[in-house]
Amino acid sequence: MRWENNITNGYGAQVKFDKSGDASGRYSIMNYQLNRETRQYEYKKVGSWVSSLDLDIESIVWTGGTKDITISRCSTPCNLNEMKHVGEDGDICC
């Protein structure tokens, strides 16, 4: 059986396959945030992955309703006289 590299799906979008016959992933990146008009929380699309990342960082709302990117205390380098510790949940913190 011969595999085609590309096909068009029923919605008109191209589906591409690699050498192994696996289709490339297509993902919508969603952000759970408060709708200021309805005062209800809902998912808002902030980006996508088709063949590369397309992300609208300005539309992301972080914890506490801020637009400032949060910094994880577990991803920053340790201070002098500190060391990384792997917790039971797999988190690595100082």
Side-chain angles (χ1 to χ4, degrees):
M1 179 187 241
R2 184 172 171 248
W3 288 91
E4 293 183 35
N5 290 336
N6 303 307
I7 61 170
T8 302
N9 70 13
Y11 300 100
Q14 277 243 324
V15 180
K16 298 180 181 183
F17 297 91
D18 64 15
K19 293 177 184 177
S20 301
D22 295 324
S24 58
R26 293 174 162 241
Y27 304 95
S28 293
I29 302 168
M30 309 298 285
N31 183 226
Y32 193 63
Q33 54 185 253
L34 180 65
N35 180 320
R36 293 175 194 247
E37 293 176 15
T38 65
R39 305 302 298 164
Q40 300 290 316
Y41 280 92
E42 57 190 38
Y43 286 99
K44 179 180 176 188
K45 183 176 178 181
V46 295
S48 63
W49 175 275
V50 177
S51 57
S52 63
L53 178 63
D54 179 24
L55 186 62
D56 181 7
I57 294 175
E58 298 297 318
S59 67
I60 297 173
V61 178
W62 300 91
T63 301
T66 180
K67 294 277 187 172
D68 298 327
I69 298 173
T70 59
I71 299 173
S72 170
R73 67 180 179 87
C74 297
S75 63
T76 56
C78 292
N79 292 322
L80 186 63
N81 296 322
E82 292 182 341
M83 59 182 259
K84 293 280 184 181
H85 169 74
V86 180
E88 290 180 16
D89 57 0
D91 283 345
I92 302 173
C93 296
C94 297

